[in-house]
Amino acid sequence: MTFNKLKIGQTIGIIGGGQLGKMMAQSAQKMGFRVVVLDPDETCPCQYVAHQFIHAAYDDMEALERLGQMSDVITYEFENIDAQQLKILTHSYHVPQGDQAITLLQDRLTEKTSLRDAGVKVVPFKHVPNVEALNDVVASLGYPFILKTRFGGYDGKGQLLLRSNADLDEAYSLVKKQECVAEQFLTLEREVSLTATAGNNDQIVYFPLQENEHRDQILFKTIVPSRVDQAMAARKEVEKITQTIHFVGTFTVEFFIDKMGELYVNEIAPRPHNSGHYSIEACDYSQFDTHILAVAGHDLPKRIELLKPAVMMNLLGRDLDALESQFDAHPEWHVHIYGKETRKPARKMGHMTILTDDTTETEQAMLTLFEGRND
């Protein structure tokens, strides 16, 4: 599929004004495009770097229509937008990403079923529509397993790890509120992710395989390149996924690697991803640069060059409280503060990337620093 190329001075509309929207806008502006953003938070980070701001709820169809009228192309920074409203928007305005990916990926059951049917290796799962089905899951999957709400949830929200019958009461409460999906719990060796950008004429370009660590279901750090050699296997899985799901722009596939070295697709984010933030400094194109090129209809680079290995650390509110006074003493830290008005202990407030010749040594130094902060 080929799209009309946006010209300098034309406008990109962004649904969502968080940190991802902000970094998209910064990439768009350096290429000469104008930016208009829609977000319900009048203090959202992106509105301070956009040319125009629409203060409205994500499900405000009148405001979405206004965004469409003001934009030459529309993109989004997160997937928790109403899929039906996005579908309506795509009929009248230029939304290269379409609505298929959002429709599929908002529903964990549909996502996992579609991936399994496409031949992608996923963790064994079961649909849990009610309490009775939960009892069957205990018998079929056994403990431990993870219960996830079928719709909604990110950064660990709407998830519950069940280790024994003692956890069932909490699980029953969750299932009574909404349908869930149960996944077999894997003993992991590593977590990795592969960020890619799909563009014009079936172009697809890959970033290096990223090695991740999550704490309390929030990304804690990313090391690039990954220290496990699974890049080609991950690309093959992504190729299967792109035969099933329509992507334009940057997206990320998260993988589990178990103790036997088996690679499983965990989740897909149909937009730039936290684990790709290192690319701003460490690569010749950032994940936001390639995203903007793709949705603007421009050709992608033939390949992404990793200029230097990197360690990226998320900065939560508690990290800023503990480390902010040290930033001036470390010019080698590439610190990004998102500009969120309210600082909360477990809220993502920024990230920092350290370019290094020895990722393991740098990782250990950063672990010592972060684990030494006062929680």
Side-chain angles (χ1 to χ4, degrees), residues 190-196 204-211 223-240 253 255-257 261-263 265 278 303-304 306:
R190 305 273 172 153
E191 294 178 68
V192 297
S193 60
L194 186 61
T195 294
I204 187 162
V205 63
Y206 294 97
F207 287 81
L209 189 65
Q210 300 139 192
E211 180 181 330
I223 294 173
V224 183
S226 169
R227 292 168 294 188
V228 292
D229 186 18
Q230 291 270 25
M232 292 311 298
R235 283 195 186 190
K236 288 179 180 177
E237 293 297 275
V238 171
E239 287 168 4
K240 295 176 190 175
V253 180
F255 297 90
F256 291 146
I257 301 176
E262 294 291 328
L263 189 75
V265 170
Y278 71 90
R303 66 193 303 265
I304 300 296
L306 180 66

Side-chain angles (χ1 to χ4, degrees), residues 179-195:
E179 292 184 37
C180 292
V181 175
E183 297 177 10
Q184 190 174 77
F185 181 80
L186 297 179
T187 303
L188 300 184
E189 178 64 31
R190 305 273 172 153
E191 294 178 68
V192 297
S193 60
L194 186 61
T195 294

Side-chain angles (χ1 to χ4, degrees), residues 126 128 130-131 133-139 141-149 158-175 180-186 217:
K126 295 285 185 181
V128 188
N130 50 46
V131 170
L134 182 60
N135 295 329
D136 294 336
V137 167
V138 173
L141 291 183
Y143 293 114
F145 65 90
I146 299 174
L147 193 64
K148 299 180 179 181
T149 54
Q159 298 187 21
L160 178 65
L161 174 61
L162 282 81
R163 298 184 182 276
S164 69
N165 287 343
D167 299 317
L168 280 176
D169 285 345
E170 190 175 358
Y172 289 145
S173 297
L174 185 61
V175 174
C180 292
V181 175
E183 297 177 10
Q184 190 174 77
F185 181 80
L186 297 179
Q217 288 80 49

Side-chain angles (χ1 to χ4, degrees), residues 127-342:
H127 180 203
V128 188
N130 50 46
V131 170
E132 291 72 23
L134 182 60
N135 295 329
D136 294 336
V137 167
V138 173
S140 59
L141 291 183
Y143 293 114
F145 65 90
I146 299 174
L147 193 64
K148 299 180 179 181
T149 54
R150 183 172 172 179
F151 300 96
Y154 62 94
D155 286 344
K157 296 178 176 67
Q159 298 187 21
L160 178 65
L161 174 61
L162 282 81
R163 298 184 182 276
S164 69
N165 287 343
D167 299 317
L168 280 176
D169 285 345
E170 190 175 358
Y172 289 145
S173 297
L174 185 61
V175 174
K176 286 175 182 176
K177 292 176 184 175
Q178 68 160 287
E179 292 184 37
C180 292
V181 175
E183 297 177 10
Q184 190 174 77
F185 181 80
L186 297 179
T187 303
L188 300 184
E189 178 64 31
R190 305 273 172 153
E191 294 178 68
V192 297
S193 60
L194 186 61
T195 294
T197 305
N200 270 327
N201 299 316
D202 298 321
Q203 279 186 303
I204 187 162
V205 63
Y206 294 97
F207 287 81
L209 189 65
Q210 300 139 192
E211 180 181 330
N212 305 319
E213 180 186 340
H214 289 79
R215 294 191 177 182
D216 298 322
Q217 288 80 49
I218 299 174
L219 183 66
F220 174 64
K221 64 176 168 60
T222 296
I223 294 173
V224 183
S226 169
R227 292 168 294 188
V228 292
D229 186 18
Q230 291 270 25
M232 292 311 298
R235 283 195 186 190
K236 288 179 180 177
E237 293 297 275
V238 171
E239 287 168 4
K240 295 176 190 175
I241 291 168
T242 56
Q243 295 301 310
T244 299
I245 303 176
H246 168 78
F247 292 104
V248 172
T250 296
F251 63 99
T252 293
V253 180
E254 295 182 82
F255 297 90
F256 291 146
I257 301 176
D258 69 10
K259 293 293 185 180
M260 302 300 291
E262 294 291 328
L263 189 75
Y264 296 85
V265 170
N266 176 33
E267 291 183 347
I268 303 169
R271 37 75 183 170
H273 190 260
N274 197 167
S275 64
H277 289 350
Y278 71 90
S279 61
I280 297 172
E281 285 84 24
C283 297
D284 56 348
Y285 291 81
S286 78
Q287 64 167 341
F288 302 99
D289 295 337
T290 54
H291 181 76
I292 294 300
L293 286 172
V295 299
H298 289 260
D299 290 342
L300 300 176
K302 288 184 171 58
R303 66 193 303 265
I304 300 296
E305 295 284 352
L306 180 66
L307 303 176
K308 195 161 187 176
V311 177
M312 190 279 294
M313 309 290 297
N314 257 344
L315 295 171
L316 305 182
R318 58 175 173 264
D319 300 315
L320 285 190
D321 292 341
L323 303 177
E324 188 174 357
S325 63
Q326 301 189 41
F327 292 158
D328 285 347
H330 292 278
E332 73 278 12
W333 294 352
H334 295 273
V335 179
H336 295 252
I337 303 300
Y338 300 146
K340 296 177 181 178
E341 190 167 77
T342 304

